[in-house]
Amino acid sequence: MTQNYDAIVIGAGVSGLYTLYKLRKLGLTVRVFEAGGDIGGTWYWNRYPGARFDSESYSYQYSFSQELIDEWNWSEHFSAQPEIERYLHFVADKFDLRRDIECNARVAAVTYDENEKRWEIATHNGLRARARYVICATGLLSAHQYPDYEGVADFAGLSLHTARWPKDPVDFRGKRVGIIGTGPTAVQIIQTIAPDCGRLTVFQRTANWCTPLRNRPITAEEQQALKEKAHEIFAQCKRNWAGFIHEPDPRRAMDVPKAERMARYQMLYDRGGFALWLGNFSDSFMSREAADEVAEFLAAKIRERVADPETAEKLIPKHPFGTKRCPGEKNYYETFNLPNVRLVDLRETPIKKISRTGIETTNELHELDVIIYATGFHSLTGELLRMDIRGEHGRSLQEHWADGPRTNLGIQFSGFPNLWAIMGPHNPAVFCNIPRCAETNVEWIVDCIRYMREKGFETMATTPEAEDAWTRRCYESVKGLLIDDMRDSWFFGSTNPENVRGRFLLFAGGVPLYREIFANVAANGYEGFELR
Ligand code: NA7
């Protein structure tokens, strides 16, 4: 039987939960469909050992409820996945959200009925529902991907993807473990499991510029102070280009005397989190000279920390500092000093195939009991394109995006009225500390719906012209940034299908500008959107 609602939300992660909360407040009937066996999204699926925030816990939490801020105590500056999952459960229970959430319900199709101006969704497990509004809160890094090596399915041992980690602990003791990938996920798991493994072989294609996380428990005094200044922290995040607490020095790096620059790098290195990446000088993302100096600073640290000089050189990235997300590490580099850990450089000896017994590189068969794939995601477009979304005239999102994604504000796609996306391509909420911008985004969408209902509009859809303009603006937003020279990252969909790859999938104009743009669009009667 098809159930009718005012709104359907796809995904019960950080954004989906807040969307449900807000839409309910508006008096709408809402149903959330969630693929996972429980709520949590990213924090449900990514339960691998060592998974934790790279945002400071108190900058990641929801800001919408003072009670919530007062009642929840984070135990660490960068809390780990079990605590984050507990937090999201606490939120769901506190606001009685679960009664409107259907778990184990992966949405397969989302189809627009032009006559009725209603969307109908169908899940893989046979549920059907209709609603006037659909909000896709499907996450930016949800569609996990395996490498396309021959033989991935043939391996006779245990194969694990970090984004589909089992709930029961995996025992690595005495096992020969291989891990493919050295992104932020891999760094977290490598440094955590290495001491337990019989042998750990790390298959690295690209080294990353890792910076120390400096995680530590939150003391009782800190706890109180953090609660008192919670809103100050949120405001600080909204002021900063990247949405984190780290505030850059307003000067250009090379205008500052060298000794002072070096002292600042050290101070930020010691502070931890994304401090060195996001809290450096104002031109850190533009000046190659400045980036190279930070790279040199970090390379020296790697050489100091890794005993074997050859391994150290392999762990030193070749790309400019800051052009990819910097994994937060603790003892990552020292891990390679352990006698049971080995680094295999895939640039020197690429993987030929996965065999029944292990990983075969061009010069060696690495026999393994466990292969861990920390190989990332089809970023941003992945989860949306995995559903069969069909708008006006039966046109699919796949067709609409055949030449790469096109969106207005990353929120809507032309020909798909009353369908909004929170974490899709071009959405400025993505190049940000996720909850900070997701909240703004959700509030903006819910305000649209409120506006439509107050003014008697049935549908809202972006115009193709506004869509083209925003898509161009996203491409423009990266010009002049060093990121533009490093296309081998999920920012450019490096592991996505061909038609998405190589295009900038984000808006890099910064959080203050994003907030201003969205506010102006709304203030001008949703300029660029057609209301009928
Ligand atoms: P990432 O950052 O996309 O990293 C994926 C890693 O997997 C990266 O080291 C890739 O190397 C590697 N990879 C991908 N495909 C292959 C193949 N075919 N062979 C060898 N190595 C491969 O994903 P994460 O999960 O680590 O992090 C995603 C985000 O989650 C991160 O930004 C944080 O915000 C949290 P490559 O660099 O492509 O050479």
Side-chain angles (χ1 to χ4, degrees):
M1 205 178 80
T2 305
Q3 300 286 342
N4 282 288
Y5 303 96
D6 292 321
I8 287 171
V9 179
I10 306 176
V14 170
S15 322
L17 292 176
Y18 185 47
T19 310
L20 168 59
Y21 171 86
K22 288 294 287 181
L23 288 173
R24 240 200 223 163
K25 286 235 152 189
L26 200 59
L28 268 56
T29 56
V30 189
R31 194 77 185 155
V32 182
F33 293 89
E34 164 57 52
D38 210 330
I39 62 155
T42 289
W43 301 109
Y44 169 82
W45 295 111
N46 291 272
R47 51 180 67 247
Y48 57 85
R52 64 174 66 248
F53 281 146
D54 47 20
S55 316
E56 287 70 9
S57 309
Y58 30 88
S59 77
Y60 192 96
Q61 67 185 342
Y62 290 115
S63 73
F64 67 86
S65 159
Q66 188 59 48
E67 260 183 45
L68 188 57
I69 296 166
D70 291 339
E71 289 170 14
W72 183 262
N73 292 325
W74 293 105
S75 69
E76 295 177 283
H77 284 265
F78 299 90
S79 286
Q81 179 273 338
E83 184 170 329
I84 305 164
E85 197 181 24
R86 278 201 301 281
Y87 171 71
L88 294 173
H89 283 221
F90 180 77
V91 173
D93 293 339
K94 179 172 174 61
F95 299 105
D96 189 22
L97 300 179
R98 286 179 189 277
R99 65 184 157 89
D100 289 325
I101 303 174
E102 191 77 48
C103 288
N104 293 307
R106 177 176 289 287
V107 172
V110 187
T111 316
Y112 190 55
D113 176 339
E114 274 170 77
N115 295 325
E116 297 291 324
K117 300 196 172 36
R118 291 278 189 289
W119 286 94
E120 178 160 329
I121 63 112
T123 65
H124 281 282
N125 58 343
L127 300 175
R128 286 179 175 276
R130 286 168 79 84
R132 186 175 287 282
Y133 318 109
V134 172
I135 292 102
C136 301
T138 39
L140 63 155
L141 296 166
S142 307
H144 66 298
Q145 63 104 25
Y146 286 87
D148 52 8
Y149 297 124
E150 181 195 331
V152 168
D154 299 339
F155 179 58
L158 179 62
S159 295
L160 296 165
H161 195 291
T162 49
R164 285 295 176 278
W165 202 263
K167 282 192 173 163
D168 291 331
V170 181
D171 187 358
F172 292 109
R173 281 173 305 175
K175 302 263 168 57
R176 298 163 303 170
V177 181
I179 180 163
I180 304 180
T182 45
T185 296
V187 167
Q188 289 188 333
I189 188 167
I190 289 166
Q191 64 196 11
T192 307
I193 65 167
D196 295 337
C197 298
R199 245 178 28 217
L200 177 66
T201 309
V202 176
F203 294 87
Q204 169 187 279
R205 191 165 66 182
T206 311
N208 274 301
W209 292 111
C210 307
T211 53
L213 192 64
R214 311 278 183 213
N215 185 32
R216 58 193 194 283
I218 294 177
T219 63
E221 301 85 75
E222 280 176 328
Q223 192 74 259
Q224 194 45 40
L226 286 168
K227 283 188 196 300
E228 280 161 19
K229 62 174 192 181
H231 290 280
E232 209 180 295
I233 293 171
F234 301 139
Q236 191 182 2
C237 292
K238 285 179 179 169
R239 268 200 315 272
N240 288 334
W241 183 71
F244 283 79
I245 60 171
H246 310 289
E247 221 136 358
D249 184 314
R251 294 171 295 174
R252 288 182 305 188
M254 295 303 149
D255 292 345
V256 175
K258 177 144 188 180
E260 200 184 323
R261 292 200 302 271
M262 299 313 284
R264 184 169 179 85
Y265 304 154
Q266 186 61 50
M267 182 267 288
L268 296 172
Y269 186 81
D270 293 340
R271 186 182 290 170
F274 284 145
L276 186 59
W277 186 35
L278 303 176
N280 209 340
F281 291 100
S282 63
D283 59 345
S284 296
F285 281 81
M286 278 92 84
S287 160
R288 182 65 196 257
E289 197 184 357
D292 285 351
E293 191 173 69
V294 179
E296 255 175 62
F297 169 86
L298 283 174
K301 300 283 184 201
I302 297 171
R303 290 187 185 108
E304 269 167 34
R305 293 172 60 184
V306 178
D308 172 41
E310 221 176 284
T311 306
E313 290 316 305
K314 287 180 182 161
L315 287 167
I316 296 174
K318 309 292 174 279
H319 59 272
F321 173 75
T323 53
K324 291 175 85 172
R325 245 178 124 106
C326 299
E329 57 88 24
K330 183 189 178 198
N331 294 337
Y332 177 64
Y333 293 110
E334 287 76 7
T335 298
F336 293 92
N337 299 336
L338 297 175
N340 63 330
V341 177
R342 179 176 166 197
L343 181 69
V344 172
D345 184 346
L346 296 181
R347 305 270 173 197
E348 277 175 11
T349 54
I351 293 177
K352 264 171 56 191
K353 64 171 191 171
I354 312 289
S355 74
R356 263 185 64 73
T357 55
I359 296 178
E360 207 178 311
T361 54
T362 45
N363 66 336
E364 196 176 338
L365 169 65
H366 300 264
E367 297 210 320
L368 299 167
D369 303 306
V370 184
I371 298 180
I372 299 172
Y373 294 95
T375 42
F377 304 85
H378 286 175
S379 63
L380 297 142
T381 57
E383 200 62 33
L384 290 166
L385 291 176
R386 199 146 82 166
M387 298 183 283
D388 185 16
I389 303 180
R390 287 181 184 267
E392 288 172 331
H393 318 299
R395 186 173 154 83
S396 69
L397 190 60
Q398 275 86 352
E399 289 169 80
H400 188 58
W401 285 357
D403 292 324
R406 295 167 49 202
T407 81
N408 187 10
L409 302 181
I411 286 266
Q412 275 208 326
F413 329 127
S414 68
F416 299 81
N418 287 2
L419 181 134
W420 291 267
I422 299 177
M423 284 289 153
H426 307 168
N427 194 314
V430 171
F431 199 60
C432 182
N433 187 350
I434 298 295
R436 296 285 57 76
C437 293
E439 275 186 346
T440 308
N441 222 319
V442 169
E443 285 156 16
W444 194 89
I445 293 168
V446 174
D447 277 345
C448 287
I449 296 175
R450 184 203 321 270
Y451 179 87
M452 287 164 68
R453 293 172 81 81
E454 281 170 6
K455 303 276 180 194
F457 292 116
E458 273 186 322
T459 60
M460 176 182 191
T462 174
T463 64
E465 296 75 25
E467 182 177 68
D468 284 344
W470 181 254
T471 302
R472 275 199 308 276
R473 192 161 181 183
C474 286
Y475 298 152
E476 288 300 314
S477 74
V478 75
K479 296 255 167 72
L481 300 182
L482 297 172
I483 291 172
D484 200 21
D485 299 333
M486 175 59 205
R487 298 192 165 218
D488 232 357
S489 83
W490 63 260
F491 297 170
F492 287 88
S494 63
T495 49
N496 290 29
E498 195 91 47
N499 63 337
V500 178
R501 225 177 289 158
R503 291 182 174 80
F504 191 55
L505 296 178
L506 310 169
F507 171 74
V511 174
L513 178 61
Y514 144 54
R515 292 172 55 75
E516 189 187 312
I517 293 169
F518 272 56
N520 288 343
V521 168
N524 293 332
Y526 296 100
E527 198 175 17
F529 294 88
E530 198 178 4
L531 290 148
R532 287 201 189 135

